[in-house]
Amino acid sequence: MTQEPFTDNQVLDRRLELLEAYNVLNTPAEPEFDDIVLIASEACRTPVSLVSLVEDDRQWFKARIGFEACETPLDQSVCAHSLSSPDLLIIPDLALDVRTRNNTLVTDDPHIRFYAGAPLVSPEGIAIGTLCVIDTVPRPEGLDASQRRILTALARQVIVHLEARRLSHRKDELFKRQKGVAANIRADAHRNMAAQEAGRIGTFEIDIATGTVSTSPEFCRIFDVPVASTYPTSTFEAMAIDQGIQSTDATRADGSALTDVEYRIKTPLRGIRWVSRQATFDRDERGRPVTMRGTAQDVTFQKRSVLRVQALLDLGDRLRELDAIEDMTVAASDLMGKALDAVRAGFGIVDYASESIVIHPDWHAPGYPSVAGRHFFRDYGAIIGDVNAGKTVAISDVGADLRLADRAERLIGLGAKAIVLVPILDHGRFNLMAFVHFDEPRKWTDDELNFVRNFGDRVQSAIARRNAEAEQALMNREIGHRLKNSFAMVQAIATQTLRPVTERQHVTAFQQRLFALSKAHDILLNEQVGAPFGAIVASLGETLGMEGRLLAEGPPVMLGSRGALSLGLLLHELGTNALKYGAFSVPEGIVSAKWVVDGSGTEPMLRFSWSETGGPPPKLPTSRGFGTKLIQMGLIGTGAVTVSYEPPGFSAKMSASLQQLQQAN
Amino acid sequence: MGQSAPPRMPVVLVVEDEPLQRMMAADLVEDAGFDVVQAWGADEAIRILETRSDIRIVFTDVDMPGSMDGLKLAASVQDRWPPIQIIVTSGYFRLADIDLPPHSVFFSKPYQHEKLTAQLRKMAAV
């Protein structure tokens, strides 16, 4: 640790520089440093220990035990005194020492009295702070030899940790800077490319009679043909991918060719490009078109960004309406491939058990084979490591990428000369892979890569949502089944328990009510969300064997589980009464069950009526049994029931809040 | 229970692994005026059917342990003892979920005692 003597200011500057380089000030607590103060206070038997870093106006504590403030102004700092001492600074009684007796930490709360600090000296020989121990009682004996050694050693440990973080900090910085530079270069390149493409306007003039087109050099470059002054129109017509949009001999001759069109061409080297073409006709004295002249512009860049946005919008709609995972990936592949003008696009699901990816039916341009099926990790060569680690692999030129080695040939054979593989993680695990293939080497733009990632993420979340729903449905079914079996058990226990009961009608009534409840559960179980009102009424008709004589009429209304169970029991009572005393007790009686939703009040109400006709003259019930009580409680136990025992038969009207009936619980 | 009853009472074989439910079903069958034979599983039911020829109706649960569930038992009974009538019951399955042998009848658990009694009598009367 040799060093030139520094002036005080130089020392301060170096110290501040170092603190800056360590990048430690104002960072959260870290266990390495916390452990050090813990050991120091234990070893020295002091209530307080601090790792204090001294700046120009304050001391800040990287680690502290037994001390509340995380920093103090420099005039309260005892540590500042120990910076200038190369060894331990020990002050047995701070109240007696001239340097500290006026320090407010000594004169006021927390009334510290004993201090021992070991300077934190960097490898350059600069003290940046101290590791100190503090007590609130003076300690004339100071520290013993072992405690001194420990404190000094621990101070060195603090520096070791700080040095380690300085190194990693430096590496991070370097790395970040490199990444920044690379990203800037890339962005510049893309901007230039786009600007160049956007600026390219070619001109042409077609002599309609001969079918010859005079072309500007820029026009030739747009169509990726050698620069020449004339070409037959067929040269360019042959490049069109979407037939019928470009002009033809016939449409030029009669002047019906569209003058303002956008179409795709397949260029020899630059793949699929979008061309915007505008033209006018020059006519002869009889009005017949003689020449067609105009401009052509490469609008691939703009067009694709529009298509990508549109594809993302469409994807949202498609995923919402699909249930099966494969339908989702097929729809997404189609949208993704077309929006990118790729030759192939698709998705694969990772199967870890067999270290493979199962590619779902992909989208492929006409003339290109599908790659659907199982592909083993080893088939991907060296790139699978990156994919597995969640990194996007974008290869601009398959033939030139060393990682693919002997696999490149097979890919090129499939028409995949530029590929991108995007792994989509589910809870940090590689689960879904999106891929896109192009038939010519190309530079992948960040926009395109983000687009593929975005597609993958959305498909992944749709899959996750669907899986969760399927799981929920399965669970509901299982719970429902258990419930039904529990009903069967209750039935068995009750039957056995009530066997000695001589008044059988009570036992029967119980069994039938249990059955009515179980039927309502059945209906809830069969439906995904709640139970239809009509189904519960129909189930009663079936149970009583009165299907033709229970006339149900009302709009489709879904009930929540509470409403459904309550209605099930209520209808059972109405039905049994009708069977015993009312319309169902004679062959010609009819019951009409009607319900409507009444939205005229402050909240929508469901109004239900039960009217019997054709039965014997109705009689007031003589006793108020459970059944009568159940009826009086109404649709959901809130009453609002009127019953009538006037001819032509028993009737009951009841209403309840629709919202309450539809509540899930 | 009732195995040695006089032969003029039609005999119903109740197959159910859950003891309480078997007990209830046996009582129901007896109350309906039949003789009852009980088995706790399909394998035992087959053994019983192989040793006696007076069983007219088999009333079986679907979900039972052993090499055969109630549906396989029903198919096997249909196949080997075609005159025997079959009633199948289940708390797990619904009629739509299962493949019943022809001429057999399904009751969802919990079942209505009156309806089951009526079904037994109808079958015995044929």
Side-chain angles (χ1 to χ4, degrees):
Chain A
M1 247 190 257
T2 55
Q3 60 179 86
E4 304 269 325
F6 288 112
T7 66
D8 280 354
N9 269 342
Q10 276 175 324
V11 169
L12 174 63
D13 286 347
R14 290 298 309 273
R15 189 167 80 226
L16 295 178
E17 268 172 38
L18 258 177
L19 286 171
E20 181 66 30
Y22 283 135
N23 191 30
V24 64
L25 292 169
N26 304 320
T27 54
E30 287 168 74
E32 294 92 321
F33 297 101
D34 289 346
D35 287 350
I36 288 175
V37 293
L38 180 73
I39 298 169
S41 80
E42 291 278 350
C44 303
R45 300 216 185 77
T46 58
V48 179
S49 176
L50 304 163
V51 169
S52 164
L53 302 171
V54 181
E55 289 185 78
D56 50 352
D57 57 351
R58 62 161 187 169
Q59 58 175 346
W60 179 83
F61 307 131
K62 174 60 191 170
R64 60 191 204 273
I65 189 165
F67 200 83
E68 249 183 67
C70 61
E71 63 170 83
T72 74
L74 213 55
D75 57 12
Q76 286 189 328
S77 168
V78 183
C79 295
H81 299 295
S82 70
L83 287 188
S84 48
S85 109
D87 288 317
L88 283 178
L89 171 69
I90 297 179
I91 303 178
D93 191 343
L94 295 164
L96 299 179
D97 193 281
V98 65
R99 289 167 296 188
T100 55
R101 65 186 176 206
N102 294 325
N103 188 311
T104 49
L105 293 176
V106 180
T107 58
D108 290 315
D109 256 334
H111 295 290
I112 63 173
R113 294 295 291 276
F114 168 70
Y115 173 90
L120 304 172
V121 184
S122 78
E124 298 91 325
I126 305 292
I128 55 163
T130 63
L131 168 67
C132 64
V133 291
I134 293 170
D135 205 343
T136 50
V137 289
R139 200 184 282 193
E141 75 279 12
L143 296 181
D144 66 30
S146 144
Q147 288 170 325
R148 287 158 178 262
R149 277 199 304 275
I150 290 174
L151 202 60
T152 313
L154 286 175
R156 281 198 298 271
Q157 281 302 303
V158 173
I159 288 295
V160 167
H161 288 308
L162 287 173
E163 277 296 309
R165 89 183 283 128
R166 171 155 65 154
L167 283 175
S168 70
H169 180 59
R170 210 184 267 156
K171 237 168 40 193
D172 278 358
E173 259 314 289
L174 211 62
F175 194 62
K176 257 190 233 155
R177 207 173 298 154
Q178 264 176 352
K179 271 178 73 176
V181 169
N184 282 339
I185 291 172
R186 264 209 310 273
D188 276 352
H190 288 150
R191 264 197 297 280
N192 287 339
M193 227 163 66
Q196 212 183 1
E197 283 175 358
R200 284 180 165 185
I201 295 179
T203 56
F204 68 94
E205 185 175 324
I206 300 171
D207 180 37
I208 293 173
T210 62
T212 305
V213 50
S214 308
T215 52
S216 72
E218 203 54 55
F219 186 92
C220 295
R221 279 192 280 268
I222 289 171
F223 282 80
D224 204 18
V225 294
V227 172
S229 55
T230 60
Y231 273 99
T233 51
S234 57
T235 302
F236 303 109
E237 282 163 23
M239 294 168 78
I241 293 174
D242 313 301
Q243 293 300 322
I245 298 172
Q246 273 182 311
S247 64
T248 61
D249 282 346
T251 59
R252 284 189 292 268
D254 65 10
S256 68
L258 295 171
T259 53
D260 191 352
V261 290
E262 276 182 357
Y263 54 80
R264 293 185 305 165
I265 54 169
K266 175 102 172 72
T267 65
L269 292 174
R270 294 165 57 236
I272 294 170
R273 310 298 297 178
W274 280 91
V275 173
S276 165
R277 191 266 288 150
Q278 282 163 314
T280 53
F281 287 105
D282 296 329
R283 293 168 194 271
D284 63 14
E285 64 278 8
R286 283 184 289 171
R288 281 185 312 208
V290 180
T291 54
M292 180 179 177
R293 68 167 96 226
T295 59
Q297 193 175 1
D298 187 317
V299 292
T300 310
F301 194 81
Q302 301 91 310
K303 191 73 192 172
R304 285 201 180 142
S305 58
V306 171
L307 286 172
R308 284 196 298 266
V309 171
Q310 187 56 48
L312 280 168
L313 292 174
D314 292 346
L315 179 68
D317 292 340
R318 298 287 291 139
L319 290 180
R320 255 195 302 284
E321 66 203 23
L322 294 173
D323 278 332
I325 291 175
E326 196 169 291
D327 292 345
M328 294 179 185
T329 56
V330 166
S333 305
D334 180 75
L335 288 168
M336 183 165 76
K338 286 180 180 164
L340 291 170
D341 282 325
V343 297
R344 193 180 293 109
F347 292 88
I349 303 267
V350 178
D351 175 8
Y352 277 99
S354 59
E355 299 225 309
S356 60
I357 299 177
V358 178
I359 307 269
H360 287 178
D362 50 19
W363 174 84
H364 44 273
Y368 291 90
S370 166
V371 296
R374 190 177 290 275
H375 296 247
F376 289 91
F377 283 1
R378 56 172 185 272
D379 299 339
Y380 288 86
I383 57 174
I384 195 65
D386 282 349
V387 177
N388 242 328
K391 288 187 203 143
T392 296
V393 172
I395 296 177
S396 300
D397 185 355
V398 164
D401 198 289
L402 296 173
R403 290 174 297 176
L404 293 167
D406 53 330
R407 285 164 186 91
E409 209 166 306
R410 208 180 81 81
L411 280 168
I412 293 170
L414 287 165
K417 298 196 183 109
I419 63 173
V420 60
L421 306 177
V422 177
I424 312 294
L425 307 186
D426 180 22
H427 294 100
R429 196 174 148 94
F430 173 34
N431 179 52
L432 178 78
M433 185 183 77
F435 69 91
V436 180
H437 293 169
F438 277 84
D439 198 8
E440 68 281 338
R442 69 196 310 277
K443 293 253 185 312
W444 294 96
T445 68
D446 285 350
D447 286 343
E448 285 167 340
L449 296 180
N450 284 335
F451 172 75
V452 177
R453 257 181 231 124
N454 211 322
F455 249 68
D457 285 343
R458 291 202 193 189
V459 170
Q460 171 66 38
S461 53
I463 291 175
R465 188 202 60 209
R466 183 215 156 267
N467 283 345
E469 282 170 3
E471 221 165 87
Q472 184 65 48
L474 200 72
M475 208 149 83
N476 285 350
R477 209 168 142 68
E478 180 57 27
I479 289 170
H481 286 149
R482 288 191 189 177
L483 202 61
K484 274 190 77 175
N485 257 9
S486 296
F487 272 120
M489 286 305 291
V490 170
Q491 188 190 29
I493 290 168
T495 308
Q496 292 305 310
T497 313
L498 302 176
R499 217 165 154 67
V501 174
T502 46
E503 290 168 298
R504 294 313 295 170
Q505 75 273 22
H506 296 312
V507 178
T508 311
F510 168 76
Q511 285 179 341
Q512 286 176 345
R513 283 174 185 141
L514 187 71
F515 184 75
L517 200 60
S518 147
K519 283 300 265 191
H521 266 294
D522 255 7
I523 294 166
L524 282 169
L525 173 62
N526 289 349
E527 300 287 331
Q528 285 295 315
V529 280
F533 201 106
I536 297 175
V537 177
S539 149
L540 174 73
E542 192 189 312
T543 305
L544 300 177
M546 295 289 163
E547 286 98 329
R549 293 163 59 190
L550 175 60
L551 309 178
E553 186 188 334
V557 174
M558 280 306 238
L559 300 183
S561 59
R562 200 183 134 207
L565 298 179
S566 171
L567 179 68
L569 281 178
L570 171 74
L571 285 176
H572 169 72
E573 297 308 326
L574 290 167
T576 9
N577 282 352
L579 211 53
K580 282 192 211 155
Y581 319 109
F584 290 156
S585 67
V586 293
E588 57 277 12
I590 293 285
V591 174
S592 155
K594 291 186 182 170
W595 63 97
V596 291
V597 175
D598 176 3
S600 62
T602 49
E603 66 168 320
M605 301 294 283
L606 188 128
R607 303 201 191 284
F608 173 69
S609 71
W610 171 279
S611 330
E612 302 184 12
T613 52
K619 282 186 301 231
L620 272 168
T622 47
S623 69
R624 227 172 104 76
F626 178 56
T628 316
K629 281 186 207 157
L630 260 178
I631 294 171
Q632 287 298 336
M633 279 160 68
L635 285 169
I636 197 153
T638 50
V641 178
T642 54
V643 293
S644 152
Y645 291 90
E646 299 301 318
F650 170 81
S651 73
K653 292 191 194 323
M654 47 194 79
S655 45
S657 147
L658 182 65
Q659 191 229 329
Q660 275 191 35
L661 279 165
Q662 293 188 320
Q663 258 168 18
N665 293 301
Chain B
M1 207 188 279
Q3 269 95 332
S4 58
R8 56 189 178 77
M9 301 277 275
V11 181
V12 177
L13 173 60
V14 171
V15 192
E16 166 68 72
D17 62 313
E18 176 23 69
L20 273 173
Q21 297 197 34
R22 188 170 67 239
M23 221 186 285
M24 174 183 72
D27 286 350
L28 184 151
V29 168
E30 280 187 337
D31 290 350
F34 298 92
D35 259 356
V36 67
V37 184
Q38 303 180 37
W40 57 267
D43 298 318
E44 195 193 2
I46 292 284
R47 275 198 298 278
I48 293 171
L49 287 164
E50 280 169 347
T51 54
R52 51 191 293 173
S53 55
D54 57 345
I55 289 170
R56 295 275 300 277
I57 300 171
V58 170
F59 175 43
T60 180
D61 183 30
V62 172
D63 331 288
M64 291 181 298
S67 67
M68 222 189 252
D69 67 9
L71 290 176
K72 286 198 186 126
L73 172 65
S76 170
V77 170
Q78 180 90 15
D79 194 35
R80 297 176 60 184
W81 298 280
I84 297 182
Q85 312 235 36
I86 302 163
I87 302 175
V88 175
T89 183
S90 172
Y92 277 100
F93 298 97
R94 281 172 286 156
L95 187 52
D97 304 332
I98 55 176
D99 212 3
L100 276 188
H103 313 302
S104 51
V105 173
F106 180 78
F107 276 78
S108 174
K109 278 188 190 175
Y111 42 80
Q112 278 184 295
H113 286 203
E114 301 79 1
K115 289 208 167 164
L116 188 67
T117 303
Q119 184 63 42
L120 287 167
R121 290 193 173 137
K122 193 172 136 201
M123 282 180 161
V126 172

